[in-house]
Amino acid sequence: MLREERQNYIVNKVNENGIIRISDIKKELDVSEMTIRRDLNDLENKSLLERVHGGAKSIRKKINKELSHLEKTQKNYKDKLKIAKKVSMLIEDEDIVFIGAGSTLELCANFFEGKNCKIVTNSLFLFNRLVENNNRNIESILVGGSFRKITGAFVGNFAINTIKVLHFKKAFIGTNGVKDSKIYTHNILEGDLQARVLNNSTYKYIVSDSSKLGREDFFDFYNLEKIDSIIIDNNASKKDLEIIKNYTKVIKAV
């Protein structure tokens, strides 16, 4: 493929998807990573795209920005509440559970009355809710690390090194998007930790309100085929459900 053809392909791809990664383009075009980096630099100099860590994003079609914690908690609140209740119903006495960061999963703390289990989380917001609810039968463990204020999550090497030596019966992880078989998040550090948690869990669950189905974000951290179920609200379209069911089971929160 000629250089001009290759760069046209890249521009079309980034405008179509909003964002691209060097690793994906390398596989698709069967060229070296250095070649792709040079192409991206050339195209950025021509104001045809914008370089980001690990890839590039469109200057015409903005990738979904990461919403603030307040914005996330207010969006689709009723659906998130139903999902959180369903998550709590899946947790049994004596379970050792990891619950990740996210506005949906924080709401789980509202439904833990009478539960007798151990909950591990990297979410400061969820941990604070658990402490405030003062359920004496729940042992709450907060995994520390580098703090991401926008999501309230602890991430990075310190957090991952802690997770490495832990094992969970069940893990519940949120997402910024689910498209085809891929599960997305906005931040690589959060995604790395989430993948490690899922790998160390006997039963793996993804939670997502239906607005995130069919959407991509910057980093795909896991595959639907590797999880046991995805927990979603009752507003998912028939098309989205059919796609998901090709890869995993669906649990509806009604």
Side-chain angles (χ1 to χ4, degrees):
M1 182 180 285
L2 298 175
R3 176 185 172 200
E4 184 177 353
E5 293 176 316
R6 191 176 62 244
Q7 293 191 355
N8 283 337
Y9 177 90
I10 292 172
V11 171
N12 289 335
K13 195 76 173 178
V14 75
N15 285 334
E16 177 184 349
N17 297 330
I19 199 161
I20 57 172
R21 287 169 297 176
I22 291 172
S23 57
D24 290 339
I25 298 300
K26 177 184 174 183
K27 292 177 183 178
E28 293 170 14
L29 300 184
D30 193 25
V31 294
S32 70
E33 185 172 308
M34 185 62 68
T35 297
I36 300 300
R37 289 185 184 278
R38 283 198 297 265
D39 285 339
L40 294 181
N41 288 335
D42 288 344
L43 293 169
E44 184 176 48
N45 289 336
K46 295 175 184 177
S47 298
L48 294 174
L49 52 73
E50 181 181 341
R51 288 295 310 274
V52 296
H53 179 72
K57 66 179 181 179
S58 173
I59 58 175
R60 288 193 344 203
K61 179 181 178 181
K62 294 293 185 181
I63 191 70
N64 298 324
K65 74 167 187 174
E66 188 170 22
L67 299 178
S68 70
H69 179 253
L70 179 61
E71 289 172 321
K72 288 179 179 179
T73 55
Q74 294 174 339
K75 188 175 181 181
N76 302 321
Y77 177 78
K78 290 183 179 179
D79 291 333
K80 291 177 178 179
L81 204 61
K82 291 177 182 178
I83 294 170
K85 185 176 182 179
K86 177 62 71 172
V87 169
S88 71
M89 293 170 64
L90 293 171
I91 298 174
E92 301 172 311
D93 284 348
E94 308 303 326
D95 276 352
I96 300 174
V97 180
F98 185 95
I99 300 179
S103 55
T104 300
L105 290 170
E106 290 169 33
L107 296 172
C108 292
N110 296 342
F111 303 102
F112 285 154
E113 185 175 353
K115 295 288 183 181
N116 181 8
C117 60
K118 180 181 293 185
I119 294 178
V120 184
T121 185
N122 68 321
S123 168
L124 180 61
F125 299 140
L126 172 61
F127 182 78
N128 286 339
R129 283 174 179 256
L130 292 172
V131 172
E132 289 167 5
N133 287 352
N134 196 28
N135 189 327
R136 296 181 181 180
N137 293 323
I138 292 180
E139 180 182 354
S140 305
I141 299 174
L142 179 64
V143 174
S146 299
F147 186 63
R148 292 197 74 230
K149 186 176 181 179
I150 194 168
T151 60
F154 289 99
V155 297
N157 289 335
F158 188 92
I160 287 179
N161 286 336
T162 302
I163 295 298
K164 280 180 181 178
V165 298
L166 303 180
H167 185 81
F168 315 102
K169 183 174 181 181
K170 297 169 184 173
F172 298 91
I173 298 295
T175 177
N176 282 26
V178 177
K179 187 172 182 181
D180 296 324
S181 66
K182 294 182 178 180
I183 306 166
Y184 292 87
T185 189
H186 193 83
N187 181 265
I188 292 177
L189 294 177
E190 286 202 33
D192 285 342
L193 185 137
Q194 290 166 331
R196 175 71 66 172
V197 167
L198 291 168
N199 287 340
N200 285 12
S201 183
T202 303
Y203 298 100
K204 306 168 176 56
Y205 298 93
I206 294 295
V207 303
S208 173
D209 67 77
S210 55
S211 70
K212 297 173 183 175
L213 303 183
R215 294 177 57 185
E216 297 175 300
D217 211 313
F218 182 62
F219 183 57
D220 67 275
F221 65 93
Y222 221 70
N223 194 294
L224 283 175
E225 294 174 323
K226 295 181 179 180
I227 69 166
D228 293 280
S229 299
I230 182 170
I231 306 170
I232 59 178
D233 59 76
N234 202 34
N235 297 319
S237 70
K238 184 177 179 181
K239 179 181 177 181
D240 284 334
L241 290 176
E242 288 175 351
I243 293 172
I244 290 172
K245 287 177 181 178
N246 289 326
Y247 305 105
T248 191
K249 295 179 181 178
V250 172
I251 297 176
K252 284 190 177 183
V254 295

